[in-house]
Amino acid sequence: MKTFRFFLYSLLSVTLFTSCKTTAILTSKFESETVGSLPAKNIPGDPAGDEITYSTELQPRIKVTASANAGQKAVAFSEINTPGLTAHNQFLGFKGISTDFTQPLWFFFNATHSGSGERLLIEIADGSAGIITRMYIDQSGQLSLVNALPGTEEVVGNIPPGVSHTIIVSLNLSTKKFNLTVLKTGGNITLTDRPVLIGDILAYANPARPSIYFRWENGASESRKYVIEEVFISRKKP
């Protein structure tokens, strides 16, 4: 009996430890990076295996920078003129570790946009071809949500230039629904029970590598940029 109890306690400890470890699907804070350099594709720290993805052609648009918060760092994603860009190599991605995509997930990040230029696309996806939601921020801060593919949009609020904001997407794929919250000064934006963009949940990868993608629409601007302070994907509500 003692042997069985020891085995049971050991199994429970391993289960709890594994559960704690897998709460974080992606954690990217940039604090160990060097200002002026590219962020490391293999994100340091736990969880092991999360990564930042970008093409060689996109590198001139991506740089680690000093944060607006004293003593911290961020990543500036700019829209400067860059040769060699195509329709397929312009995505800056944050890809989490492999996980059960049918379980609730939270995607959230803090950032600020500035300058005049093209719209920024923000996409929440399964790390493959399955898009959960897609939104755009234009130079004036208008936030538009794509309601249907290929491109039916709805204006849902405004994120003014220079205003720090936190975008949170909570996903429950089993119900085919997500919530969107934007925290910012001047009034938050809240949308609930929005349908995912692909109605057939079997079209999503599972297990998946939950991801957040950023991409500028076609064009170039010396002033337009999106400064990302930190990015998280988690099983735990922020």
Side-chain angles (χ1 to χ4, degrees):
M1 179 63 95
K2 287 183 178 179
T3 302
F4 175 76
R5 284 179 180 171
F6 175 78
F7 174 77
L8 183 62
Y9 294 155
S10 298
L11 183 61
L12 180 60
S13 297
V14 169
T15 301
L16 290 173
F17 177 71
T18 302
S19 176
C20 290
K21 281 191 69 176
T22 55
T23 295
I25 306 301
L26 178 141
T27 301
S28 186
K29 294 186 177 182
F30 317 119
E31 297 310 305
S32 62
E33 305 287 358
T34 302
V35 171
S37 68
L38 289 164
K41 290 188 173 182
N42 295 320
I43 301 172
D46 291 330
D50 55 347
E51 62 178 335
I52 301 174
T53 62
Y54 49 83
S55 67
T56 300
E57 292 82 2
L58 193 64
Q59 288 181 7
R61 291 187 168 186
I62 305 167
K63 289 291 181 290
V64 176
T65 186
S67 168
N69 303 311
Q72 298 181 21
K73 297 171 187 173
V75 162
F77 183 39
S78 72
E79 202 200 358
I80 61 172
N81 187 37
T82 306
L85 295 181
T86 69
H88 307 291
N89 63 9
Q90 298 189 48
F91 288 90
L92 170 61
F94 292 80
K95 182 175 286 191
I97 61 174
S98 180
T99 191
D100 182 354
F101 206 45
T102 63
Q103 297 301 309
L105 281 167
W106 281 265
F107 303 75
F108 50 107
F109 58 91
N110 179 264
T112 307
H113 75 97
S114 61
S116 59
E118 304 303 321
R119 298 197 302 175
L120 176 76
L121 175 149
I122 302 170
E123 189 172 277
I124 307 296
D126 64 358
S128 183
I131 304 169
I132 294 298
T133 185
R134 178 181 287 170
M135 64 194 86
Y136 293 94
I137 303 174
D138 73 8
Q139 63 180 7
S140 68
Q142 178 176 283
L143 177 65
S144 301
L145 190 70
V146 175
N147 287 329
L149 296 173
T152 304
E153 298 180 21
E154 172 193 3
V155 177
V156 296
N158 190 273
I159 304 172
V163 171
S164 175
H165 55 273
T166 299
I167 293 180
I168 304 169
V169 172
S170 60
L171 170 66
N172 188 344
L173 191 60
S174 63
T175 64
K176 305 180 184 180
K177 297 290 180 66
F178 70 92
N179 298 332
L180 170 66
T181 303
V182 182
L183 304 177
K184 61 183 178 64
T185 57
N188 299 332
I189 301 168
T190 303
L191 303 173
T192 58
D193 291 332
R194 291 302 182 104
V196 297
L197 278 178
I198 302 176
D200 180 8
I201 62 173
L202 295 180
Y204 292 101
N206 194 42
R209 295 193 62 188
S211 301
I212 304 173
Y213 296 103
F214 303 92
R215 182 192 188 279
W216 295 109
E217 287 195 319
N218 293 334
S221 167
E222 293 299 316
S223 64
R224 190 81 168 114
K225 67 176 60 175
Y226 198 59
V227 178
I228 304 165
E229 299 284 345
E230 52 189 8
V231 183
F232 303 94
I233 303 173
S234 178
R235 293 250 172 248
K236 185 177 180 180
K237 183 178 180 180

